Every structure is written in structure tokens, then in C-alpha cells.
Amino acid sequence: MKKVTLAILSVVTATSVTACESKPQASESGNQSSSSTPAKTVTINIATVNNPDMKVMEELKGEFESTHPGIKVNFTAMPDDDLRKKVTLNVSTKSGEYDIATIGPYEVSTWAKNDWLEPLNPLFEANADIQKSYDVNDIIKPINGALSLKDKMYALPFYGESNMIFYRKDLFEQKGLTMPEQPTWDDIYKLAKQLNDPANGMYGIALNGTPQYGQLAPLLTVINTFGAKWFDMDWNPQINSPEFKKAVSFYVNLLKEAGEPGATNVGFNEGLGLISQGKAAMWYHATVAAGMLNDPNTSKVVGKIGYAKAPVEVTPNGSHWLYTWGLGILSSSTHKKEAFEFITWATSKDYIKLVANKKGWALAPSGTRYSTYENQDYLKAAPWSKITKELIDSADINKPAKDQVPYTGLAQIHLPEYAAFASEFGQNFAAVVTGALSVDEALQKSQEKTTEIMKKAGYIKK
């Protein structure tokens, strides 16, 4: 995502991951299109996560192709973990299979150091019209910073997010319950127990239980806010510490006592399905899902959802994440010019307006641009916008734990070795959920494996 290529390729192996010469003119979206028929058509290949926002982008790709007649866009959508593994393998071997990939802060923090991503600053400088219309300064600073390294941009965000509690206002009212503006995890536990009614197909809360390391973010925030940390300042793993045990025990007990069955198969898409189909009273996940829960074409709970800040416990540090799925150009691409035209179109202010016109403002990509949060149509359609913006602004990737730590990252830890030790941790965590391992056994296995990985990578000197 010290021994970067070897670390990533070992995880992938163990678990499996002609520019047109014609003169451009401005299109309606403020980007560039060809003013004459190109000599040939270029196809750019995009590897994407299979979430609703990317499905909308694929659905609207014809709008781009119609104003860029020399460029065709091909999407390959796949689950989160499959995407990370496949694209990591392709980019590390420079196969050139993909031109663009959806990536996050973790990939930027690791891949850019290996020159696997194309820096975007020179591309903006070489395209004055695009630079002017795109308005980089409109991107929310923490989001832009999460996709940059040493003042160089390596991806453009198509949505930004933190995480929150979604809850059924109607069910709370029926039971006389109140959601605190800033709940604690103890509050959430008590509420979930009162709302849990599995006999009638209603679960108190939906939580991720999948072992996929790319889906561990909700659990990581619980670990953080319970005062635990992954490493001390000498890079010694702290996974079997009392704080870590308390956090994981709490999360698993909440799942078992008031969560959904079959949790090891539940990630973002599955949790979204549970609450949107009226089967969960609460859900803890990404703020970007708010619009999806208010889509009458896919949700049965439109107008019934309330929003609360991410719960805290011992410390607010690391209690909520800062994340963005961005579009990055792989350095192995032979169509960088065309890829740049697409990613600036797909993350522009005009693309946001296009989605709003086609799907409604509630489904417009959120969390990326200041102008979105100044748009009265969006604010009216998105009552969750205030909390989302507050959470994004206050999340600090440099303070993920109660104590000082040598790493950064909230939804993921920004280390090349993260994929390796998080994959092991995810499998052990899932074994606890199914009852195959105790919490102590799972954490000790993860402690030993992580120590082995960090020693091999040279972090631990003893």
C-alpha cells in the first residue's frame, strides 16, 4: 500500500490484488473535449469499488463520452477487499491493466512513495482551462490533504466521509427513547438492547463483522475511543493490552446481544441493506450513506432516519474517521491525458450538479467541496449535512489514539504493513464473532503475527 513492494505483494499472494492530438475545447462541465473527430478512440479502464456512488458514475459515463468523443470509459467494479488486492498487484507489477483506480488515503500514503501513482499537479499546470474550471481550492482541505503527500495531489475525491450513528426516529419515538447529540458507546449499547426485537425481524444495531481488512474501520474507531492503541512509540504491538481487549469484547458483545445474525458476512453494503429495508433500528457507518437511505428507489425508511455523532468512550481521539474514495491515475497507464480528463470531470462541481439533476440533491456526492455545503438546495435536501461537515472537520488522522503513537490513520493505519497484519486481525476477529476463538485467543494470535511482521520489516530493533 521500509520493504514496501515485498510487504504488499506478500499479502496479495497470500490472499489471492495514444493520447489524442486534436485541439480540445471547453465542455459543459468545464473540462476538455475534442473539437474535431479524433484519429482513434482511446479506452480508459477504471477499477472501482462496487458501492452505489460508483454505480451512479458508471451510469452517467455517457455524459462524459458524449462531450469527449475520442474517449470510451470501461468500469470494472468489485468488492472493497478484491479491489485493493487486485489493483495493488497490478500497480506493483506495472501491468497497465487499469488507467484509473478508486483509492483512499492509505494507498496515497504508501503507493505514492513507490511512484505507483501519477502526481496530478503537473497535469493541472499543463491544462490551464481545466485548472481554472475545476477549482482545486473548493475541495475541503482535510479531504484534499488526505489524498496528498508532500504538497502533491495523487487523487481527486468523488466523495468524502466520516462516520455516524443512523437511527430510526419513529422507533425511538414509539419506545420513548432519546438519542444524545453526542452519544457514548454505553448509551448505544443500552439503546440497542431496548430496540432489539429479532423475533419480529428487527435488530437493535447493524455492525460490520466481516473479516475483510478494508471493512474494519467501524471496529477501529471503537478500539481508538476505548483508549487502546496498535503500537507503542517503539513499534511494539499492543493488541493484547487490557484496553484493546475491552474494546473488542464490547464490540463483539454488542453484536451478539443486539446485532444482526451472520455478522461475518456484513460490510458496508450489507449493513446499508439491513437498515434501508427496515431490519435494523440503528447502524454505525459512513456518513456518505445518508443520501442512500433517503433514496426512495432503494430505501424503505426515507424520512425516518435520524443522525448522531460517532460515539465516544474514554477519549474523543480516533472516535470518528476521515476517509475519502478518490480517483487516482496509475503511473503505468498509457492514457494519462484521457484519464486526467475523466477524473476532473467525475469529481467536478458540475458533476455534482449533474447527479443532483438526475438523482436529486440528497444523492449528490458529499464531503468533497465547500460549495456543496453552501448550496441551499443541498442543505435543504440533506439534514445530515451539518453533522457530516463537523465530523469531517474535526477528525484528526494525526491523533488516532488517547496516547502518543508513531503511526497515523483512523479508518486504516498508514503503514505499508497494515494490509498484512490487519488481514490477520480481521480473520481472528471474525473467529471471535462466530465463537471459534475467545477474545484472548484472537488478540494473542494477532499480537504474535503483528510482532513477526513488524520485526521482519525492521520496525522492532530488539
Side-chain angles (χ1 to χ4, degrees):
M1 322 170 288
K2 321 183 187 174
K3 301 186 180 180
V4 179
T5 303
L6 292 176
I8 295 175
L9 287 177
S10 65
V11 174
V12 175
T13 302
T15 55
S16 310
V17 88
T18 314
C20 301
E21 297 296 331
S22 53
K23 183 180 179 181
Q25 67 182 25
S27 69
E28 289 182 1
S29 65
N31 291 310
Q32 305 295 318
S33 64
S34 179
S35 60
S36 61
T37 302
K40 65 177 181 177
T41 297
V42 167
T43 297
I44 53 176
N45 293 301
I46 307 177
T48 72
V49 65
N50 65 342
N51 67 20
D53 282 284
M54 289 310 302
K55 291 177 181 177
V56 170
M57 187 180 292
E58 182 175 11
E59 180 184 331
L60 296 177
K61 71 176 184 177
E63 300 282 339
F64 172 81
E65 292 172 338
S66 67
T67 55
H68 298 71
I71 306 174
K72 295 296 181 183
V73 184
N74 178 53
F75 281 76
T76 300
M78 58 195 93
D80 186 300
D81 258 26
D82 292 346
L83 172 73
R84 296 178 191 278
K85 294 168 186 173
K86 189 169 185 179
V87 177
T88 300
L89 177 60
N90 278 273
V91 72
S92 63
T93 58
K94 300 186 183 299
S95 71
E97 182 176 354
Y98 303 113
D99 300 286
I100 297 168
T102 52
I103 59 176
Y106 170 67
E107 286 76 24
V108 169
S109 69
T110 55
W111 291 8
K113 295 176 182 177
N114 282 357
D115 297 324
W116 292 348
L117 293 172
E118 190 72 12
L120 302 181
N121 303 63
L123 292 170
F124 273 112
E125 292 167 4
N127 292 272
D129 289 342
I130 293 180
Q131 186 172 36
K132 181 178 180 181
S133 63
Y134 187 79
D135 191 6
V136 171
N137 291 330
D138 186 50
I139 299 177
I140 294 172
K141 287 183 179 180
I143 296 296
N144 192 14
L147 295 176
S148 300
L149 189 66
K150 295 182 179 179
D151 297 324
K152 290 183 179 180
M153 293 183 294
Y154 286 94
L156 299 177
F158 69 85
Y159 72 68
E161 65 179 33
S162 188
N163 51 306
M164 63 167 63
I165 288 285
F166 302 92
Y167 65 97
R168 287 281 299 276
K169 294 185 296 184
D170 54 331
L171 299 181
F172 271 64
E173 185 176 350
Q174 290 172 18
K175 291 185 173 288
L177 302 175
T178 301
M179 174 65 75
E181 181 180 351
Q182 175 57 81
T184 65
W185 274 110
D186 185 57
D187 293 329
I188 297 302
Y189 174 82
K190 292 175 181 176
L191 290 167
K193 289 281 287 183
Q194 294 178 79
L195 292 160
N196 195 42
D197 188 9
N200 290 303
M202 179 62 68
Y203 309 112
I205 190 168
L207 293 169
N208 278 22
T210 174
Q212 297 179 11
Y213 76 88
Q215 296 275 342
L216 289 174
L219 174 57
L220 262 62
T221 62
V222 174
I223 290 169
N224 294 338
T225 195
F226 268 68
K229 56 190 175 186
W230 288 83
F231 302 98
D232 65 17
M233 291 301 292
D234 293 320
W235 292 107
N236 297 301
Q238 303 294 299
I239 301 173
N240 59 357
S241 67
E243 295 85 0
F244 219 107
K245 178 180 178 180
K246 186 175 181 180
V248 174
S249 297
F250 172 86
Y251 192 97
V252 172
N253 289 339
L254 179 56
L255 253 179
K256 291 183 175 180
E257 295 178 22
E260 75 280 6
T264 54
N265 295 313
V266 175
F268 174 83
N269 287 336
E270 295 77 16
L272 175 64
L274 285 169
I275 191 166
S276 67
Q277 299 308 302
K279 297 180 180 180
M282 293 187 291
W283 183 41
Y284 179 58
H285 221 297
T287 55
V288 71
M292 303 167 195
L293 291 173
N294 283 276
D295 181 359
N297 295 312
T298 57
S299 176
K300 296 180 180 179
V301 294
V302 175
K304 297 179 180 180
I305 299 295
Y307 317 94
K309 294 179 181 178
V312 297
E313 196 63 24
V314 174
T315 176
N317 291 2
S319 62
H320 55 288
W321 69 66
L322 175 70
Y323 194 77
T324 172
W325 275 117
L327 297 175
I329 300 174
L330 306 184
S331 58
S332 55
S333 169
T334 56
H335 305 306
K336 296 183 177 68
K337 173 182 177 294
E338 293 83 359
F340 182 66
E341 291 184 23
F342 180 79
I343 69 171
T344 50
W345 173 83
T347 61
S348 65
K349 287 184 279 189
D350 285 314
Y351 177 79
I352 293 173
K353 293 176 183 176
L354 175 63
V355 176
N357 290 336
K358 297 286 186 179
K359 304 291 184 179
W361 272 107
L363 289 175
S366 60
T368 61
R369 289 184 170 272
Y370 291 112
S371 56
T372 302
Y373 291 86
E374 296 167 357
N375 186 300
Q376 293 304 311
D377 291 329
Y378 176 72
L379 297 179
K380 183 178 180 180
W384 57 87
S385 59
K386 183 175 183 292
I387 292 178
T388 296
K389 185 66 164 50
E390 288 179 4
L391 289 168
I392 288 174
D393 285 341
S394 60
D396 189 347
I397 63 173
N398 295 311
K399 294 182 180 179
K402 176 177 177 287
D403 300 328
Q404 185 181 3
V405 291
Y407 57 88
T408 63
L410 299 166
Q412 299 165 323
I413 296 174
H414 298 167
L415 294 174
E417 295 73 21
Y418 174 73
F421 67 74
S423 293
E424 170 77 13
F425 176 80
Q427 294 295 328
N428 294 332
F429 159 67
V432 176
V433 175
T434 63
L437 290 176
S438 68
V439 172
D440 284 339
E441 290 170 334
L443 297 187
Q444 185 58 36
K445 288 186 66 175
S446 292
Q447 172 79 9
E448 292 171 0
K449 183 64 176 181
T450 304
T451 300
E452 175 188 327
I453 291 169
M454 299 303 279
K455 283 184 176 179
K456 187 175 182 180
Y459 289 84
I460 300 174
K461 305 300 181 183
K462 296 179 181 179

